Amino acid sequence: ERKAAAGLGVFSVGLGLAVSWVGVYIRPEGAVWLAGQAVGLGIGAMLAWHCLAQRSLEHLGEDRSTQRLELISNEEIRIYCMPLAATTGLMWFQLSGYRLWVDKTFGLDDLAMLAVGVGLANQVFALVETLAMQYVFPHFYQAISQQRSEYSEVSALSDMLDLIVPVYFLLAMVALLAAPTMLILLTSSQYHSAYKFVMIGVGMELFRVISNLLGQAAQVTKRTSSTLPPYVFGAIVLIPGVWAVGY
């Protein structure tokens, strides 16, 4: 349901921006902005739930009162979902959590420069990553769900990597060259000197999106615990690294 997904995505972001703008206009605080985003995404999530419920009723047909489709078992939650949740938390820590320490150590001015530079790089890559998720990932999931041999599943993963990784590298090169221009076009004058942070952010985002692609191997093997060690190692390196920079 790509049309519904895209429409709800645009609606959620637009509503979140509108609520955040009104809230910050009344009370200019960061927490108010985040609360507005939560309101927009929350309403979008409820509408998405309603759309999925309606669609499931259509598929069940007349016998829907007596049918119950089990989505996932407790064992699958323990083996598949919990490692994925832990990986997501560590991913947030590496990509965003360190900013709390930057605020404490360097102050809000430096944090703002870092956030604008890294955030701009993140938005550029997030746009392309979203397009890949909408158009390429469904074909990949369909391929691994229909194939029965390990070779064919690995081949599907290889094809996806061959298609997307060169695009990410090309995007990184363009973003590095266009960093100063993007800041001039998209930010106010006090942030125009943050292009170095944009360049660092491009490197961070390139490694992030490639890591996410390689992590799709866990979808082939259905063993998401394999995604944990790299992020655990990254978090262990990040903690003393940020501390050393601050010191």
Side-chain angles (χ1 to χ4, degrees):
E1 301 297 330
R2 290 176 178 171
K3 290 182 179 180
L8 285 170
V10 173
F11 173 79
S12 298
V13 174
L15 181 61
L17 286 173
V19 175
S20 294
W21 184 84
V22 173
V24 171
Y25 183 79
I26 298 172
R27 189 182 180 92
E29 294 182 2
V32 175
W33 175 269
L34 292 177
Q37 296 293 294
V39 169
L41 294 173
I43 294 176
M46 289 188 289
L47 291 174
W49 181 273
H50 176 73
C51 291
L52 286 173
Q54 292 296 116
R55 180 64 63 184
S56 64
L57 292 178
E58 293 176 6
H59 285 297
L60 289 175
E62 296 180 356
D63 298 331
R64 57 179 176 269
S65 60
T66 60
Q67 293 189 36
R68 183 179 184 276
L69 302 178
E70 183 178 354
L71 176 65
I72 193 168
S73 66
N74 292 332
E75 183 71 9
E76 289 168 330
I77 291 176
R78 183 179 65 84
I79 296 176
Y80 186 88
C81 297
M82 296 306 293
L84 203 59
T87 300
T88 304
L90 291 169
M91 183 189 302
W92 174 86
F93 180 78
Q94 290 186 55
L95 296 174
S96 299
Y98 67 91
R99 299 182 189 186
L100 301 175
W101 181 265
V102 173
D103 179 17
K104 179 180 178 181
T105 306
F106 298 99
L108 286 175
D109 290 342
D110 289 331
L111 176 62
M113 297 293 285
L114 174 67
V116 168
V118 175
L120 181 59
N122 172 261
Q123 292 301 309
V124 171
F125 274 84
L127 174 62
V128 177
E129 189 177 32
T130 301
L131 293 174
M133 291 178 64
Q134 289 291 331
Y135 292 100
V136 180
F137 277 46
H139 296 289
F140 168 70
Y141 292 135
Q142 184 180 33
I144 63 175
S145 63
Q146 293 177 346
Q147 304 295 342
R148 292 295 179 265
S149 67
E150 181 179 355
Y151 173 78
S152 58
E153 292 175 343
V154 173
S155 178
L157 177 63
S158 177
D159 289 343
M160 185 178 68
L161 293 176
D162 290 343
L163 176 63
I164 301 179
V165 170
V167 175
Y168 285 156
F169 273 101
L170 179 61
L171 177 64
M173 289 186 289
V174 173
L176 285 173
L177 294 174
T181 304
M182 287 192 297
L183 284 171
I184 293 174
L185 292 175
L186 300 175
T187 66
S188 57
S189 58
Q190 62 263 38
Y191 296 113
H192 290 175
S193 60
Y195 66 92
K196 293 181 180 179
F197 289 114
V198 178
M199 294 180 174
I200 295 173
V202 167
M204 293 168 58
E205 288 300 310
L206 178 62
F207 290 128
R208 179 186 69 81
V209 294
I210 292 178
S211 297
N212 288 346
L213 282 178
L214 295 176
Q216 294 301 316
Q219 303 294 335
V220 175
T221 62
K222 301 299 186 291
R223 292 193 298 269
T224 57
S225 58
S226 62
T227 62
L228 266 175
Y231 287 100
V232 170
F233 177 77
I236 292 173
V237 171
L238 179 70
I239 294 172
V242 174
W243 178 84
V245 171
Y247 182 79

